[in-house]
Amino acid sequence: MSQTSITQATPHVGEAPAFPYFNEEHAMLRETVKQFCLKEIAPYGEEWDEAGIFPRELFKKAGDLGLFGIRTDPKWGGSGLDWWATAAYVDGLSYANNGGVGMALMVQSDMTLPALEELGTDEQREEFLKPAVAGDYIAALGISEPGGGSDVANIKTRARFDGDDLVISGQKLWITNGTRSDFILLAVRTGDEGYKGISFVIFPTNTPGFSVGKKLKKIGNLSSDTAELFFDNCRVPRRYLLELNKGFYYVMQNFQGERLVAALGAVHKMERALEFAINYGKEREAFGQPIGSFQVWRHRFAEHLTSIEAGKWLCYRALDLINRGQEAVREITYGETLLLRSGSKGHVRLHADHGRVRLHHRISDRPRLARRPLEYHRRRRLRNHERDHRQTVEAVAQSLWRNCFNRQCRHNIFSQLFSAAVSNPCSARHFPSKDDALSIGTPLAQYSIVETIY
Ligand SMILES: Cc1cc2nc3c(=O)[nH]c(=O)nc-3n(C[C@H](O)[C@H](O)[C@H](O)COP(=O)(O)OP(=O)(O)OC[C@H]3O[C@@H](n4cnc5c(N)ncnc54)[C@H](O)[C@@H]3O)c2cc1C
């Protein structure tokens, strides 16, 4: 599917009238970020996914555009705007069509630099925040360790005081921008075990004893470098320490903004994915009509639109509270829970196998394939899919038969599956929906249907 179709897409799911909180400045910011993404990121996404990293220059371009200092005080090079401006930025960023770049930029703009601005001294802000807001420095946030990420109070990386220095030893894992950051806002243990003994320290990555381990292979966000880091008696000046033993409180407080930005990122990516699916549904034909015109898909699109709208209002409710300096932990959790659940289901089914393969990847590692027209591969995959599907349905039917205890349930499930398998193996509208399957079987039967088919 060519890139241009996304921008020509109608209806533009995201083009609903702006929420009352957004003003003209926010709309201009959103449009600026959108155009930046369409020009500087989207055309290169696949190439950067393959490379597993994107060019460092992009941080400078984003810094020049002011994306790392939207809410930062102008004293440190920021624009001093509000949370609604951040929402407009995250919306525009979804046009990058590349989760990895979005993650790397947001770790700098909304996870690391706000903490440094809030907790840092003017000296620390001058030395690190200012160049990072300008995009001259790449920042990373170093909390998670091999021993745990959710359990922040259990951090093992230790910093001991030695004169005017801190000596740091330990290991971090899953650190975004980890292979090329200029400094890391590092969570270390400076006190007793438990949450009261954790502090943040600014760690320049040119410190002797610091090393980058392997770059982690991920299933998504491929263009974002996520790394394993080692600290072997690294000596940093004591003046890079932020408030002593206040790290845990800050992680818990700052996590709220991070989670809100993650939920906003999810809702706008869902919008872009739905635009993509609606266009695909217009272009792709089956049984003589665009597949998107089948009622089952129109219903699905309607369901997704509903989730997106509900998710947006939950996020904007939380954002309004945060913007007014109020607690919003519960409201953020509502939004995150709804979006991260609803975001993960849906459109892949519309694309069937085409949604599950990284076409550009298969072509590059098997050169002989490149000579044949793309349509050949799609048709071949469809044939394989139909064959696999038939085998799956039959396998399910047998296991159900074995597992179902009462006649009625057997009859219901079997008749449905068999009629689907025999009459038209691949046509979604003949297949019982997940809810149908769940409503007609015993728990055991339910389990085997869901696990095997979906
Ligand atoms: C792409 C990517 C980028 C990342 N970037 C960074 C980064 O830049 N900096 C950084 O510090 N970290 C980063 N992380 C790490 C991320 O913050 C951790 O993955 C996350 O905190 C979860 O920690 P964990 O993976 O160790 O899972 P664990 O903490 O081991 O949890 C495993 C599972 O148990 C569940 N669980 C944990 N505690 C409970 C509980 N009390 N009740 C019920 N269920 C529970 C969790 O939800 C999870 O499903 C990144 C991770 C990924 C995947």
Side-chain angles (χ1 to χ4, degrees), residues 58-267:
L58 196 71
F59 281 93
K60 185 62 191 141
K61 288 182 183 168
D64 291 345
L65 217 53
L67 302 188
F68 297 140
I70 289 174
R71 296 195 315 279
T72 311
D73 190 316
K75 198 169 143 195
W76 312 115
S79 314
L81 299 172
D82 61 9
W83 272 93
W84 294 103
T86 293
Y89 153 59
V90 176
D91 188 354
L93 205 54
S94 67
Y95 288 88
N97 200 23
N98 189 284
V101 174
M103 175 150 214
L105 298 186
M106 282 214 280
V107 160
Q108 176 129 342
S109 62
D110 283 90
M111 297 181 188
T112 313
L113 302 191
L116 185 51
E117 182 180 9
E118 183 143 350
L119 288 183
T121 61
D122 281 0
E123 188 201 349
Q124 290 165 345
R125 292 182 189 124
E126 192 63 42
E127 190 174 350
F128 294 99
L129 178 62
K130 230 173 172 175
V133 166
D136 297 322
Y137 273 3
I138 297 179
L141 180 68
I143 300 176
S144 307
E145 298 183 349
S150 322
D151 187 3
V152 177
N154 197 19
I155 278 175
K156 297 277 182 277
T157 300
R158 180 159 282 285
R160 64 180 168 79
F161 293 94
D162 182 13
D164 285 341
D165 292 338
L166 278 170
V167 182
I168 298 170
S169 298
Q171 197 182 342
K172 293 290 177 183
L173 191 64
W174 300 110
I175 307 308
T176 304
N177 302 338
T179 65
R180 58 178 175 181
S181 61
D182 297 290
F183 71 88
I184 306 166
L185 196 60
L186 196 64
V188 290
R189 183 159 298 288
T190 43
D192 301 338
E193 291 307 313
Y195 67 91
K196 289 191 178 151
I198 295 171
S199 304
F200 269 120
V201 61
I202 303 168
F203 184 88
T205 52
N206 58 1
T207 304
F210 170 73
S211 59
V212 176
K214 61 180 184 290
K215 193 162 74 175
L216 302 170
K217 283 205 176 335
K218 310 185 295 288
I219 54 172
N221 289 0
L222 301 172
S223 62
S224 159
D225 59 315
T226 315
E228 184 186 34
L229 307 177
F230 296 94
F231 306 83
D232 180 9
N233 287 312
C234 301
R235 194 171 278 276
V236 296
R238 197 175 177 137
R239 64 188 169 78
Y240 286 167
L241 183 69
L242 278 68
E243 270 180 85
L244 185 61
N245 294 336
K246 289 279 183 291
F248 182 82
Y249 305 102
Y250 190 81
V251 171
M252 290 304 124
Q253 180 205 324
N254 188 42
F255 266 0
Q256 301 322 322
E258 280 184 33
R259 294 168 62 217
L260 177 58
V261 167
L264 277 169
V267 81

